[in-house]
Amino acid sequence: MRDEYMKLREYMDESGRTVAVTGAGISYLYGMRRLKQSVGPMNAGRVFSASYIRKNPEKFYKIMKDAFLDATFEKGPSAVHRQLAELEKQGKIYGVVTQNLDCLHTIAGSKNVAEFQGSFQDNICIGCGERYYDYSVWNEGHLPRCEKCGEPLMPASFCREGDANRAAMQTGMQKAIEMIADADLLIVIGTTGFRSDEYLSRMKPGTKIVQVNPSPTVFDSRADLNIRADAAEVFDAIMS
Protein backbone atom coordinates (compact mmCIF):
# COMPACT_ATOMS: atom_id res chain seq x y z
CA MET A 1 0.00 0.00 0.00
CA ARG A 2 1.27 3.50 -0.81
CA ASP A 3 2.56 5.49 2.14
CA GLU A 4 -0.13 8.16 1.65
CA TYR A 5 -2.89 5.56 1.85
CA MET A 6 -1.42 4.14 5.04
CA LYS A 7 -1.23 7.62 6.53
CA LEU A 8 -4.89 8.26 5.71
CA ARG A 9 -5.90 4.99 7.34
CA GLU A 10 -3.84 5.94 10.39
CA TYR A 11 -5.62 9.30 10.59
CA MET A 12 -8.99 7.57 10.31
CA ASP A 13 -8.11 5.08 13.05
CA GLU A 14 -7.10 7.95 15.36
CA SER A 15 -10.11 10.15 14.58
CA GLY A 16 -13.13 10.24 16.86
CA ARG A 17 -15.28 11.73 14.08
CA THR A 18 -14.40 11.72 10.38
CA VAL A 19 -16.44 13.63 7.81
CA ALA A 20 -16.10 13.31 4.04
CA VAL A 21 -16.51 16.50 1.99
CA THR A 22 -17.34 15.83 -1.65
CA GLY A 23 -17.67 17.94 -4.77
CA ALA A 24 -18.65 17.74 -8.37
CA GLY A 25 -15.56 15.76 -9.32
CA ILE A 26 -16.97 12.45 -8.11
CA SER A 27 -20.10 12.97 -10.22
CA TYR A 28 -18.68 14.59 -13.37
CA LEU A 29 -16.21 11.78 -13.81
CA TYR A 30 -19.15 9.41 -13.70
CA GLY A 31 -21.16 11.08 -16.45
CA MET A 32 -22.89 14.01 -14.76
CA ARG A 33 -22.92 17.11 -16.97
CA ARG A 34 -22.17 20.62 -15.84
CA LEU A 35 -25.44 22.49 -15.61
CA LYS A 36 -24.31 25.24 -17.98
CA GLN A 37 -23.70 22.59 -20.64
CA SER A 38 -27.37 21.67 -20.50
CA VAL A 39 -28.75 25.18 -20.05
CA GLY A 40 -26.59 26.47 -22.90
CA PRO A 41 -26.77 30.20 -23.57
CA MET A 42 -29.92 30.64 -21.50
CA ASN A 43 -29.71 32.45 -18.20
CA ALA A 44 -30.04 30.02 -15.29
CA GLY A 45 -32.06 32.54 -13.29
CA ARG A 46 -34.61 32.60 -16.10
CA VAL A 47 -34.75 28.82 -16.50
CA PHE A 48 -35.23 28.18 -12.79
CA SER A 49 -38.29 30.34 -12.37
CA ALA A 50 -41.92 29.38 -11.99
CA SER A 51 -42.90 31.44 -15.04
CA TYR A 52 -40.40 29.68 -17.29
CA ILE A 53 -41.41 26.22 -16.08
CA ARG A 54 -45.11 26.93 -16.59
CA LYS A 55 -44.45 28.03 -20.17
CA ASN A 56 -41.79 25.41 -20.96
CA PRO A 57 -42.37 22.37 -18.72
CA GLU A 58 -40.95 19.85 -21.19
CA LYS A 59 -37.88 21.99 -21.91
CA PHE A 60 -37.23 22.30 -18.19
CA TYR A 61 -37.52 18.54 -17.71
CA LYS A 62 -35.17 17.94 -20.66
CA ILE A 63 -32.58 20.20 -19.02
CA MET A 64 -32.89 18.29 -15.74
CA LYS A 65 -32.72 14.95 -17.53
CA ASP A 66 -29.67 15.92 -19.54
CA ALA A 67 -27.76 17.50 -16.66
CA PHE A 68 -28.67 15.20 -13.77
CA LEU A 69 -31.35 12.58 -14.10
CA ASP A 70 -29.83 10.25 -16.70
CA ALA A 71 -26.59 9.94 -14.75
CA THR A 72 -28.39 9.68 -11.42
CA PHE A 73 -31.01 7.06 -12.23
CA GLU A 74 -29.59 5.21 -15.25
CA LYS A 75 -25.97 4.90 -14.11
CA GLY A 76 -26.53 5.15 -10.39
CA PRO A 77 -23.91 5.87 -7.73
CA SER A 78 -20.22 5.55 -8.51
CA ALA A 79 -17.75 3.35 -6.66
CA VAL A 80 -16.79 6.33 -4.47
CA HIS A 81 -20.39 6.97 -3.44
CA ARG A 82 -20.77 3.31 -2.48
CA GLN A 83 -17.43 3.19 -0.65
CA LEU A 84 -18.36 6.20 1.47
CA ALA A 85 -21.72 4.63 2.30
CA GLU A 86 -19.95 1.45 3.39
CA LEU A 87 -17.43 3.38 5.49
CA GLU A 88 -20.32 5.11 7.25
CA LYS A 89 -22.01 1.76 7.84
CA GLN A 90 -18.78 0.45 9.37
CA GLY A 91 -18.57 3.50 11.63
CA LYS A 92 -15.34 4.75 10.04
CA ILE A 93 -16.85 8.02 8.88
CA TYR A 94 -19.64 9.99 10.54
CA GLY A 95 -21.22 11.28 7.36
CA VAL A 96 -20.86 13.26 4.13
CA VAL A 97 -20.99 16.98 3.41
CA THR A 98 -21.54 17.61 -0.30
CA GLN A 99 -22.05 20.45 -2.72
CA ASN A 100 -23.70 18.03 -5.16
CA LEU A 101 -27.40 18.16 -6.01
CA ASP A 102 -27.74 14.64 -7.42
CA CYS A 103 -28.67 12.64 -4.28
CA LEU A 104 -26.16 9.94 -5.27
CA HIS A 105 -24.81 9.68 -1.72
CA THR A 106 -28.30 8.95 -0.42
CA ILE A 107 -29.04 6.53 -3.25
CA ALA A 108 -25.77 4.73 -2.49
CA GLY A 109 -26.86 4.20 1.11
CA SER A 110 -25.29 7.07 3.07
CA LYS A 111 -27.60 8.04 5.94
CA ASN A 112 -26.01 11.21 7.28
CA VAL A 113 -25.70 13.61 4.33
CA ALA A 114 -25.57 17.42 4.39
CA GLU A 115 -26.33 18.88 0.95
CA PHE A 116 -25.34 22.51 1.36
CA GLN A 117 -26.65 23.54 -2.06
CA GLY A 118 -29.88 21.61 -1.68
CA SER A 119 -30.78 18.68 -3.91
CA PHE A 120 -33.50 16.77 -5.75
CA GLN A 121 -34.54 15.44 -2.33
CA ASP A 122 -36.30 18.71 -1.47
CA ASN A 123 -38.87 19.83 -4.06
CA ILE A 124 -41.52 22.52 -4.17
CA CYS A 125 -44.71 22.91 -6.21
CA ILE A 126 -44.55 26.12 -8.26
CA GLY A 127 -48.30 26.47 -7.90
CA CYS A 128 -49.37 25.92 -4.29
CA GLY A 129 -45.97 25.65 -2.58
CA GLU A 130 -46.46 22.05 -1.35
CA ARG A 131 -43.11 20.44 -0.47
CA TYR A 132 -42.12 16.94 -1.61
CA TYR A 133 -39.15 15.46 0.23
CA ASP A 134 -38.47 12.58 -2.11
CA TYR A 135 -35.91 12.35 -4.93
CA SER A 136 -37.80 9.44 -6.53
CA VAL A 137 -40.42 11.82 -7.98
CA TRP A 138 -37.76 12.56 -10.63
CA ASN A 139 -37.44 8.91 -11.61
CA GLU A 140 -40.78 8.43 -13.35
CA GLY A 141 -39.81 9.41 -16.90
CA HIS A 142 -41.62 12.75 -16.92
CA LEU A 143 -41.75 16.09 -15.16
CA PRO A 144 -43.18 15.53 -11.66
CA ARG A 145 -46.36 17.39 -10.80
CA CYS A 146 -48.12 18.25 -7.59
CA GLU A 147 -50.75 15.78 -6.43
CA LYS A 148 -52.85 18.65 -5.04
CA CYS A 149 -52.91 21.23 -7.84
CA GLY A 150 -51.21 19.59 -10.84
CA GLU A 151 -48.53 22.25 -11.27
CA PRO A 152 -44.91 21.20 -11.92
CA LEU A 153 -42.41 20.55 -9.13
CA MET A 154 -38.87 21.89 -9.02
CA PRO A 155 -35.97 21.47 -6.59
CA ALA A 156 -36.44 24.10 -3.89
CA SER A 157 -32.77 25.08 -4.09
CA PHE A 158 -33.23 25.97 -7.78
CA CYS A 159 -36.18 28.25 -7.13
CA ARG A 160 -35.40 31.89 -7.90
CA GLU A 161 -38.67 33.19 -6.52
CA GLY A 162 -39.77 33.62 -2.90
CA ASP A 163 -38.02 32.15 0.13
CA ALA A 164 -37.81 28.48 -0.91
CA ASN A 165 -34.28 28.73 -2.33
CA ARG A 166 -32.89 30.59 0.66
CA ALA A 167 -34.48 28.23 3.17
CA ALA A 168 -33.24 25.10 1.36
CA MET A 169 -29.70 26.44 1.12
CA GLN A 170 -29.59 27.63 4.74
CA THR A 171 -30.80 24.28 6.04
CA GLY A 172 -28.17 22.35 4.12
CA MET A 173 -25.31 24.68 5.02
CA GLN A 174 -26.27 24.74 8.70
CA LYS A 175 -26.15 20.95 8.86
CA ALA A 176 -22.79 20.97 7.03
CA ILE A 177 -21.35 23.47 9.49
CA GLU A 178 -22.55 21.46 12.48
CA MET A 179 -21.00 18.25 11.11
CA ILE A 180 -17.68 19.90 10.29
CA ALA A 181 -17.49 21.78 13.61
CA ASP A 182 -17.44 18.43 15.46
CA ALA A 183 -15.02 16.65 13.11
CA ASP A 184 -11.50 15.55 13.98
CA LEU A 185 -10.72 14.66 10.36
CA LEU A 186 -12.03 15.95 7.03
CA ILE A 187 -11.47 13.89 3.89
CA VAL A 188 -11.97 16.26 0.96
CA ILE A 189 -12.76 14.46 -2.31
CA GLY A 190 -13.30 15.84 -5.80
CA THR A 191 -13.98 19.47 -4.89
CA THR A 192 -12.05 22.59 -5.79
CA GLY A 193 -13.35 24.34 -2.68
CA PHE A 194 -16.68 25.85 -3.69
CA ARG A 195 -18.05 27.81 -0.67
CA SER A 196 -15.38 26.14 1.49
CA ASP A 197 -14.71 29.29 3.52
CA GLU A 198 -18.23 29.04 4.94
CA TYR A 199 -17.57 25.69 6.57
CA LEU A 200 -13.78 25.53 7.02
CA SER A 201 -13.91 28.61 9.24
CA ARG A 202 -16.00 26.56 11.70
CA MET A 203 -13.44 23.76 12.16
CA LYS A 204 -12.14 23.28 15.66
CA PRO A 205 -8.39 23.63 16.27
CA GLY A 206 -6.41 20.51 15.48
CA THR A 207 -8.81 19.09 12.89
CA LYS A 208 -6.84 17.40 10.13
CA ILE A 209 -7.62 17.72 6.43
CA VAL A 210 -6.77 15.04 3.88
CA GLN A 211 -7.39 15.88 0.24
CA VAL A 212 -7.95 13.15 -2.34
CA ASN A 213 -7.82 14.77 -5.76
CA PRO A 214 -5.62 14.20 -8.84
CA SER A 215 -5.53 17.98 -9.49
CA PRO A 216 -4.39 20.95 -7.40
CA THR A 217 -7.08 22.92 -5.53
CA VAL A 218 -7.40 25.60 -2.86
CA PHE A 219 -7.04 22.84 -0.25
CA ASP A 220 -3.42 22.11 -1.21
CA SER A 221 -1.92 24.57 1.27
CA ARG A 222 -4.40 23.72 4.04
CA ALA A 223 -4.31 19.95 3.86
CA ASP A 224 -2.19 17.88 6.23
CA LEU A 225 -2.00 15.27 3.47
CA ASN A 226 -2.57 15.56 -0.29
CA ILE A 227 -3.20 12.31 -2.15
CA ARG A 228 -2.94 12.72 -5.94
CA ALA A 229 -4.91 9.65 -6.93
CA ASP A 230 -8.34 8.43 -7.95
CA ALA A 231 -10.58 8.29 -4.88
CA ALA A 232 -12.00 4.86 -5.73
CA GLU A 233 -8.48 3.43 -5.79
CA VAL A 234 -7.62 5.10 -2.48
CA PHE A 235 -10.68 3.82 -0.62
CA ASP A 236 -10.39 0.37 -2.15
CA ALA A 237 -6.87 0.16 -0.72
CA ILE A 238 -7.69 1.37 2.79
CA MET A 239 -10.80 -0.82 3.00
CA SER A 240 -8.90 -3.97 2.02
mmCIF file of all heavy atoms in Angstrom, residues 69-91:
data_model
loop_
_atom_site.group_PDB
_atom_site.id
_atom_site.type_symbol
_atom_site.label_atom_id
_atom_site.label_comp_id
_atom_site.label_asym_id
_atom_site.label_seq_id
_atom_site.Cartn_x
_atom_site.Cartn_y
_atom_site.Cartn_z
ATOM 1 N N LEU A 69 -30.528 13.768 -14.341
ATOM 2 C CA LEU A 69 -31.354 12.585 -14.100
ATOM 3 C C LEU A 69 -30.841 11.327 -14.783
ATOM 4 O O LEU A 69 -30.916 10.235 -14.206
ATOM 5 C CB LEU A 69 -32.802 12.856 -14.510
ATOM 6 C CG LEU A 69 -33.445 14.087 -13.860
ATOM 7 C CD1 LEU A 69 -34.885 14.239 -14.334
ATOM 8 C CD2 LEU A 69 -33.389 13.987 -12.344
ATOM 9 N N ASP A 70 -30.341 11.441 -16.020
ATOM 10 C CA ASP A 70 -29.827 10.253 -16.702
ATOM 11 C C ASP A 70 -28.678 9.624 -15.921
ATOM 12 O O ASP A 70 -28.641 8.411 -15.703
ATOM 13 C CB ASP A 70 -29.367 10.594 -18.121
ATOM 14 C CG ASP A 70 -30.523 10.802 -19.082
ATOM 15 O OD1 ASP A 70 -31.665 10.468 -18.701
ATOM 16 O OD2 ASP A 70 -30.295 11.300 -20.195
ATOM 17 N N ALA A 71 -27.731 10.467 -15.488
ATOM 18 C CA ALA A 71 -26.587 9.941 -14.746
ATOM 19 C C ALA A 71 -26.997 9.421 -13.378
ATOM 20 O O ALA A 71 -26.459 8.420 -12.890
ATOM 21 C CB ALA A 71 -25.515 11.024 -14.596
ATOM 22 N N THR A 72 -27.972 10.077 -12.752
ATOM 23 C CA THR A 72 -28.394 9.678 -11.415
ATOM 24 C C THR A 72 -29.132 8.339 -11.430
ATOM 25 O O THR A 72 -28.799 7.419 -10.676
ATOM 26 C CB THR A 72 -29.312 10.749 -10.800
ATOM 27 O OG1 THR A 72 -28.570 11.953 -10.636
ATOM 28 C CG2 THR A 72 -29.833 10.300 -9.439
ATOM 29 N N PHE A 73 -30.131 8.219 -12.287
ATOM 30 C CA PHE A 73 -31.010 7.056 -12.226
ATOM 31 C C PHE A 73 -30.658 5.942 -13.210
ATOM 32 O O PHE A 73 -31.009 4.788 -12.978
ATOM 33 C CB PHE A 73 -32.465 7.487 -12.432
ATOM 34 C CG PHE A 73 -32.960 8.397 -11.350
ATOM 35 C CD1 PHE A 73 -33.318 9.704 -11.610
ATOM 36 C CD2 PHE A 73 -33.050 7.943 -10.037
ATOM 37 C CE1 PHE A 73 -33.775 10.538 -10.610
ATOM 38 C CE2 PHE A 73 -33.497 8.767 -9.024
ATOM 39 C CZ PHE A 73 -33.865 10.069 -9.309
ATOM 40 N N GLU A 74 -29.964 6.253 -14.297
ATOM 41 C CA GLU A 74 -29.594 5.213 -15.252
ATOM 42 C C GLU A 74 -28.245 4.589 -14.912
ATOM 43 O O GLU A 74 -28.053 3.384 -15.043
ATOM 44 C CB GLU A 74 -29.585 5.769 -16.674
ATOM 45 C CG GLU A 74 -30.974 6.161 -17.174
ATOM 46 C CD GLU A 74 -30.964 6.714 -18.592
ATOM 47 O OE1 GLU A 74 -29.915 6.598 -19.265
ATOM 48 O OE2 GLU A 74 -31.997 7.260 -19.023
ATOM 49 N N LYS A 75 -27.291 5.421 -14.471
ATOM 50 C CA LYS A 75 -25.974 4.897 -14.110
ATOM 51 C C LYS A 75 -25.875 4.585 -12.626
ATOM 52 O O LYS A 75 -25.186 3.660 -12.215
ATOM 53 C CB LYS A 75 -24.886 5.891 -14.517
ATOM 54 C CG LYS A 75 -24.778 6.085 -16.022
ATOM 55 C CD LYS A 75 -23.620 6.992 -16.372
ATOM 56 C CE LYS A 75 -23.490 7.154 -17.880
ATOM 57 N NZ LYS A 75 -22.352 8.035 -18.241
ATOM 58 N N GLY A 76 -26.552 5.385 -11.825
ATOM 59 C CA GLY A 76 -26.528 5.148 -10.391
ATOM 60 C C GLY A 76 -25.246 5.641 -9.749
ATOM 61 O O GLY A 76 -24.395 6.237 -10.397
ATOM 62 N N PRO A 77 -25.090 5.390 -8.455
ATOM 63 C CA PRO A 77 -23.913 5.872 -7.726
ATOM 64 C C PRO A 77 -22.619 5.263 -8.247
ATOM 65 O O PRO A 77 -22.592 4.127 -8.726
ATOM 66 C CB PRO A 77 -24.178 5.426 -6.284
ATOM 67 C CG PRO A 77 -25.655 5.198 -6.225
ATOM 68 C CD PRO A 77 -26.051 4.714 -7.579
ATOM 69 N N SER A 78 -21.552 6.017 -8.122
ATOM 70 C CA SER A 78 -20.217 5.548 -8.506
ATOM 71 C C SER A 78 -19.618 4.694 -7.391
ATOM 72 O O SER A 78 -20.184 4.565 -6.295
ATOM 73 C CB SER A 78 -19.299 6.740 -8.771
ATOM 74 O OG SER A 78 -19.020 7.417 -7.550
ATOM 75 N N ALA A 79 -18.464 4.144 -7.670
ATOM 76 C CA ALA A 79 -17.749 3.353 -6.661
ATOM 77 C C ALA A 79 -17.462 4.195 -5.417
ATOM 78 O O ALA A 79 -17.564 3.717 -4.289
ATOM 79 C CB ALA A 79 -16.455 2.806 -7.240
ATOM 80 N N VAL A 80 -17.117 5.463 -5.609
ATOM 81 C CA VAL A 80 -16.792 6.327 -4.468
ATOM 82 C C VAL A 80 -18.020 6.564 -3.592
ATOM 83 O O VAL A 80 -17.938 6.507 -2.362
ATOM 84 C CB VAL A 80 -16.207 7.676 -4.941
ATOM 85 C CG1 VAL A 80 -15.901 8.570 -3.746
ATOM 86 C CG2 VAL A 80 -14.961 7.456 -5.770
ATOM 87 N N HIS A 81 -19.167 6.811 -4.216
ATOM 88 C CA HIS A 81 -20.393 6.971 -3.436
ATOM 89 C C HIS A 81 -20.665 5.726 -2.584
ATOM 90 O O HIS A 81 -21.002 5.824 -1.402
ATOM 91 C CB HIS A 81 -21.600 7.191 -4.355
ATOM 92 C CG HIS A 81 -21.573 8.490 -5.115
ATOM 93 N ND1 HIS A 81 -21.205 8.573 -6.430
ATOM 94 C CD2 HIS A 81 -21.887 9.750 -4.727
ATOM 95 C CE1 HIS A 81 -21.296 9.827 -6.829
ATOM 96 N NE2 HIS A 81 -21.698 10.563 -5.816
ATOM 97 N N ARG A 82 -20.495 4.565 -3.188
ATOM 98 C CA ARG A 82 -20.768 3.310 -2.475
ATOM 99 C C ARG A 82 -19.727 3.043 -1.383
ATOM 100 O O ARG A 82 -20.057 2.543 -0.303
ATOM 101 C CB ARG A 82 -20.819 2.146 -3.466
ATOM 102 C CG ARG A 82 -21.960 2.283 -4.477
ATOM 103 C CD ARG A 82 -22.123 1.022 -5.328
ATOM 104 N NE ARG A 82 -23.099 1.211 -6.377
ATOM 105 C CZ ARG A 82 -24.421 1.175 -6.198
ATOM 106 N NH1 ARG A 82 -24.923 0.963 -4.993
ATOM 107 N NH2 ARG A 82 -25.257 1.360 -7.221
ATOM 108 N N GLN A 83 -18.479 3.385 -1.653
ATOM 109 C CA GLN A 83 -17.432 3.192 -0.647
ATOM 110 C C GLN A 83 -17.685 4.072 0.575
ATOM 111 O O GLN A 83 -17.521 3.621 1.716
ATOM 112 C CB GLN A 83 -16.068 3.505 -1.268
ATOM 113 C CG GLN A 83 -15.592 2.447 -2.246
ATOM 114 C CD GLN A 83 -14.442 2.932 -3.104
ATOM 115 O OE1 GLN A 83 -14.301 4.125 -3.374
ATOM 116 N NE2 GLN A 83 -13.594 2.012 -3.539
ATOM 117 N N LEU A 84 -18.081 5.309 0.345
ATOM 118 C CA LEU A 84 -18.358 6.205 1.472
ATOM 119 C C LEU A 84 -19.558 5.722 2.278
ATOM 120 O O LEU A 84 -19.564 5.825 3.507
ATOM 121 C CB LEU A 84 -18.587 7.630 0.961
ATOM 122 C CG LEU A 84 -17.350 8.335 0.394
ATOM 123 C CD1 LEU A 84 -17.732 9.676 -0.209
ATOM 124 C CD2 LEU A 84 -16.279 8.522 1.468
ATOM 125 N N ALA A 85 -20.561 5.193 1.588
ATOM 126 C CA ALA A 85 -21.718 4.631 2.302
ATOM 127 C C ALA A 85 -21.293 3.443 3.155
ATOM 128 O O ALA A 85 -21.757 3.291 4.300
ATOM 129 C CB ALA A 85 -22.793 4.217 1.300
ATOM 130 N N GLU A 86 -20.416 2.605 2.631
ATOM 131 C CA GLU A 86 -19.947 1.449 3.385
ATOM 132 C C GLU A 86 -19.093 1.877 4.576
ATOM 133 O O GLU A 86 -19.197 1.297 5.669
ATOM 134 C CB GLU A 86 -19.150 0.522 2.465
ATOM 135 C CG GLU A 86 -18.592 -0.730 3.143
ATOM 136 C CD GLU A 86 -19.657 -1.633 3.750
ATOM 137 O OE1 GLU A 86 -20.809 -1.619 3.263
ATOM 138 O OE2 GLU A 86 -19.344 -2.347 4.719
ATOM 139 N N LEU A 87 -18.250 2.886 4.396
ATOM 140 C CA LEU A 87 -17.426 3.383 5.494
ATOM 141 C C LEU A 87 -18.302 3.965 6.611
ATOM 142 O O LEU A 87 -17.992 3.810 7.791
ATOM 143 C CB LEU A 87 -16.445 4.443 4.981
ATOM 144 C CG LEU A 87 -15.266 3.916 4.166
ATOM 145 C CD1 LEU A 87 -14.527 5.068 3.484
ATOM 146 C CD2 LEU A 87 -14.292 3.129 5.056
ATOM 147 N N GLU A 88 -19.397 4.617 6.233
ATOM 148 C CA GLU A 88 -20.325 5.112 7.253
ATOM 149 C C GLU A 88 -20.987 3.939 7.982
ATOM 150 O O GLU A 88 -21.124 3.957 9.215
ATOM 151 C CB GLU A 88 -21.395 5.993 6.609
ATOM 152 C CG GLU A 88 -22.371 6.568 7.614
ATOM 153 C CD GLU A 88 -23.502 7.351 6.985
ATOM 154 O OE1 GLU A 88 -23.407 7.721 5.793
ATOM 155 O OE2 GLU A 88 -24.502 7.583 7.690
ATOM 156 N N LYS A 89 -21.386 2.937 7.238
ATOM 157 C CA LYS A 89 -22.015 1.756 7.835
ATOM 158 C C LYS A 89 -21.078 1.080 8.826
ATOM 159 O O LYS A 89 -21.504 0.582 9.877
ATOM 160 C CB LYS A 89 -22.408 0.780 6.727
ATOM 161 C CG LYS A 89 -23.126 -0.465 7.211
ATOM 162 C CD LYS A 89 -23.493 -1.363 6.031
ATOM 163 C CE LYS A 89 -24.186 -2.637 6.496
ATOM 164 N NZ LYS A 89 -24.528 -3.525 5.340
ATOM 165 N N GLN A 90 -19.775 1.067 8.507
ATOM 166 C CA GLN A 90 -18.783 0.454 9.373
ATOM 167 C C GLN A 90 -18.390 1.352 10.550
ATOM 168 O O GLN A 90 -17.629 0.932 11.418
ATOM 169 C CB GLN A 90 -17.528 0.110 8.563
ATOM 170 C CG GLN A 90 -17.743 -0.952 7.501
ATOM 171 C CD GLN A 90 -16.493 -1.189 6.662
ATOM 172 O OE1 GLN A 90 -15.416 -0.663 6.954
ATOM 173 N NE2 GLN A 90 -16.620 -1.989 5.617
ATOM 174 N N GLY A 91 -18.894 2.579 10.558
ATOM 175 C CA GLY A 91 -18.569 3.503 11.632
ATOM 176 C C GLY A 91 -17.236 4.203 11.465
ATOM 177 O O GLY A 91 -16.745 4.839 12.402
#
